[in-house]
Amino acid sequence: MVTNILIAIVVGIIIAAIIIGIQVSALKSVNERHEASDYVKQGSLQLSQKTDVFLYKKLEKTEKPQNNQG
Amino acid sequence: MADLLEYKCPCCAGKVEFDPNSQQMKCPFCESEFTIEALQEANGVQEQAEDQLNWETPTSDWGDGETDGMKVYTCQSCGGQIIADETTGASACPYCDNPIVMTGQFAGDLRPDFVIPFKFDKEAAKKALLQHFEGKKFVPKVFKDDHHIDEIKGVYVPVWLFDAEAQGQFRYHAEKVKRWSDDRFNYKEVSHYMVKRAGRIAFEQVPVDGSTKMDDTLMESIEPFDFKGAVPFQTPYLSGYLADKYDVTAEDSIDRANNRIKQSVADEIRKTVIGYDSVVTEDSGIQLENAKAKYALYPVWLLNISWNNEKFTFAMNGQTGRFVGNLPLDKSAATKAFCITAVIASIIVFILLMIFNNGQ
C-alpha cells in the first residue's frame, strides 16, 4: 500500500514536470542559429573524396540465462 | 601523404607491427589485424589549410539628390541613429522605446546594395502579435492586457550578406552492428570503419546583423529571409518606415558568418555518410574562399514592452511573417499549476495501481 503511494507520487511529479515543462518552454522563441543551412546554394555540394575502409570486426557472445528444469 | 614510421592501432592506439605469419599488420596489444591500406587511411592526418578569404566589401556611393528626403533621428536614451523620411510620424526609438528627435540631414555612409521590401503591413503585424500570445500559459495577465500594440514599428535592419565557397575534409569512425541469437548465446558483431569525405559547397547571402542595437539572436530567430524577394535599393522604399544605420563593419561580422557556414559544411558532408549504425567525427578541416559581402536592408516589425523593470522585444520577419519574442513567466502561476497537476496525476496513478494490484 505504502509502495503504491510512493510510486504514485513520484510518477505524478514526473508527469506534471513534463506537462508544465512543455508549456513553459513554449514561452521561449528566441534562439541563436548555429548553422547556415537555409543559405546553401542548391546543388552546389560536390564530393571530391568518398572512401569507406573496413578496419576490423569484434564479436561479443553473451550466454543466455538457462531455465534449469528439474 | 607522408610516409609514417609508426602506425597507431585504430582499436587500442598501440604500435602496430608487421606480422610475417599472417602477412598483415598486427597489433601486439589487442591482436587486431589490418591491411596496410586500412592502416594508412586510419593514420592519415588532416592538413589544416588556410582560409582563402579575399573579402570584397561594397563600396557603392549615394547618387545626387538621393538622400534629400532622408533625415537622421537621434534617440535620447540609447544614442542610436535612425534614418527616416522627413514626414515620418515616428517619435519613439524602435529599440528602446524612448523619444527620438530629428537631428539633421542624412548624408554619407554606404548606400545599401539591396532591400527586401515589407510584404506584411502593420495590421498583419498586430494580428501576428496577438496570435503569438494566444495559447501561451503562465504569461502574467497584466502583461497580456497592458501593451501598446499600436506602437509596433516597421524597421529596415542593416545586414551584411556573405557569399562564400567552402571546402571541407572530414574523417569519421563508423560502426555497423549485427545482432543475432541461437539457443545458447546472444551475439553482437561490431564492424569498424574508417570513413573519409571531402567536398565543396557554396553559400549565398548568409546574413549577419549590422546593427549593435538589433539583438543578433533576435534577428537570427526570425530567419530565413528569402533573397529572391530582394530588389536593388532605392530611397522610396524607406518611406513610411524607419531604417537603421549599420554600426558594425563587414569585417567584424565575418566571424559570425564563418562559424555558421563551417557548421553547415560539417552538417551537409556528414549527411553523405550513410548505412552505419553510429558515426563519430574524428578530424576535420574547413577552408572558406571567394568570399563576397553585400550590404542590404531587411524588413522587421519591432515592438518593445516593458514590464516589471524588464524589457521584452518582439520581432516579426517583414517578408515571411515569422513572429518571435520571449514571453515572461509568471512563476507563481506555474508553480500552482505544477502542484495541482502533480496531485491529480498522482491520484490517477494510485487508483490505477490499486486496480491493477487487486486484479492480480
Side-chain angles (χ1 to χ4, degrees):
Chain A
M1 175 76 164
V2 179
T3 346
N4 279 356
I5 295 178
L6 284 174
I7 295 176
I9 291 176
V10 169
V11 173
I13 288 177
I14 293 174
I15 293 176
I18 294 174
I19 295 177
I20 304 297
I22 292 174
Q23 289 175 329
V24 168
S25 64
L27 294 180
K28 185 171 194 284
S29 48
V30 177
N31 298 302
E32 223 184 316
R33 291 236 172 174
H34 299 283
E35 38 61 46
S37 54
D38 295 307
Y39 307 101
V40 173
K41 193 166 174 190
Q42 288 295 339
S44 66
L45 170 60
Q46 286 168 9
L47 281 186
S48 54
Q49 180 191 22
K50 192 176 177 196
T51 49
D52 296 60
V53 175
F54 171 74
L55 292 176
Y56 60 92
K57 267 197 242 202
K58 269 214 152 84
L59 180 61
E60 263 173 43
K61 232 158 70 162
T62 36
E63 203 167 333
K64 282 169 137 171
Q66 300 288 328
N67 284 326
N68 290 326
Q69 291 184 357
Chain B
M1 202 185 324
D3 274 328
L4 296 174
L5 295 175
E6 212 178 282
Y7 284 105
K8 270 213 287 210
C9 171
C11 189
C12 71
K15 195 174 111 180
V16 180
E17 292 161 349
F18 184 77
D19 176 46
N21 293 326
S22 59
Q23 290 294 300
Q24 299 240 63
M25 301 298 285
K26 186 165 173 177
C27 174
F29 303 98
C30 68
E31 310 259 310
S32 307
E33 282 178 12
F34 312 94
T35 62
I36 291 183
E37 289 72 31
L39 264 189
Q40 280 182 331
E41 287 286 350
N43 277 255
V45 173
Q46 295 291 351
E47 280 172 27
Q48 292 291 341
E50 294 287 306
D51 283 338
Q52 301 279 325
L53 284 174
N54 299 315
W55 287 102
E56 286 172 37
T57 42
T59 52
S60 56
D61 293 319
W62 294 96
D64 284 334
E66 264 196 299
T67 54
D68 285 351
M70 290 161 63
K71 301 281 183 230
V72 177
Y73 293 78
T74 308
C75 173
Q76 313 255 296
S77 167
C78 67
Q81 293 189 310
I82 315 285
I83 303 159
D85 219 277
E86 52 192 346
T87 63
T88 188
S91 57
C93 174
Y95 297 106
C96 69
D97 229 16
N98 287 292
I100 53 175
V101 218
M102 179 151 68
T103 48
Q105 180 64 39
F106 173 77
D109 275 347
L110 282 180
R111 183 181 189 278
D113 298 310
F114 297 98
V115 61
I116 294 183
F118 276 86
K119 293 269 185 313
F120 287 84
D121 63 9
K122 191 166 182 179
E123 284 312 308
K126 278 154 68 170
K127 221 167 86 166
L129 174 68
L130 290 172
Q131 258 181 337
H132 189 67
F133 288 150
E134 246 175 71
K136 301 280 194 327
K137 301 256 154 62
F138 317 130
V139 177
K141 277 213 182 54
V142 168
F143 185 90
K144 269 189 184 175
D145 299 330
D146 179 35
H147 54 246
H148 326 280
I149 58 170
D150 233 7
E151 289 172 17
I152 199 166
K153 288 175 199 56
V155 182
Y156 280 110
V157 177
V159 290
W160 294 107
L161 302 177
F162 297 98
D163 294 351
E165 275 176 27
Q167 284 197 70
Q169 307 84 34
F170 297 85
R171 191 181 81 220
Y172 311 92
H173 185 102
E175 291 176 3
K176 283 194 202 173
V177 180
K178 249 197 317 194
R179 289 177 208 266
W180 71 96
S181 311
D182 56 28
D183 288 340
R184 287 186 56 206
F185 295 97
N186 288 326
Y187 299 90
K188 177 174 159 189
E189 184 188 78
V190 182
S191 300
H192 295 255
Y193 293 80
M194 170 66 47
V195 176
K196 276 188 168 180
R197 295 283 185 272
R200 354 169 39 97
I201 312 180
F203 290 83
E204 299 178 306
Q205 292 99 34
V206 180
V208 180
D209 178 2
S211 161
T212 49
K213 294 192 304 303
M214 180 70 183
D215 179 44
D216 286 4
T217 311
L218 188 63
M219 193 65 184
E220 282 172 13
S221 298
I222 56 174
E223 282 183 34
F225 285 88
D226 186 0
F227 192 74
K228 287 197 211 61
V231 294
F233 174 81
Q234 283 174 320
T235 322
Y237 283 113
L238 293 186
S239 177
Y241 300 102
L242 303 176
D244 199 357
K245 282 165 60 171
Y246 78 89
D247 52 7
V248 183
T249 60
E251 287 74 31
D252 290 337
S253 309
I254 282 172
D255 280 344
R256 183 81 199 113
N258 277 358
N259 289 342
R260 291 179 62 181
I261 288 172
K262 289 191 173 185
Q263 182 61 49
S264 275
V265 173
D267 292 343
E268 293 297 308
I269 291 193
R270 168 69 181 81
K271 282 189 200 159
T272 66
V273 182
I274 48 181
Y276 298 97
D277 295 301
S278 93
V279 178
V280 171
T281 308
E282 283 192 333
D283 205 357
S284 67
I286 304 177
Q287 304 82 41
L288 301 186
E289 56 190 40
N290 298 336
K292 278 208 229 30
K294 290 191 282 262
Y295 175 37
L297 297 180
Y298 275 5
V300 181
W301 284 103
L302 277 183
L303 177 65
N304 288 300
I305 300 181
S306 297
W307 178 80
N308 216 27
N309 287 329
E310 267 185 81
K311 188 179 79 157
F312 295 89
T313 309
F314 300 90
M316 180 168 108
N317 183 320
Q319 179 192 34
T320 65
R322 185 182 163 97
F323 198 100
V324 301
N326 288 338
L327 292 161
L329 172 67
D330 184 347
K331 289 210 176 80
S332 61
T335 317
K336 231 179 11 181
F338 175 78
C339 293
I340 295 174
T341 316
V343 166
I344 296 176
S346 300
I347 293 175
I348 294 176
V349 172
F350 181 71
I351 294 174
L352 287 172
L353 282 173
M354 296 300 276
I355 295 174
F356 180 69
N357 284 340
N358 286 342
Q360 278 202 319

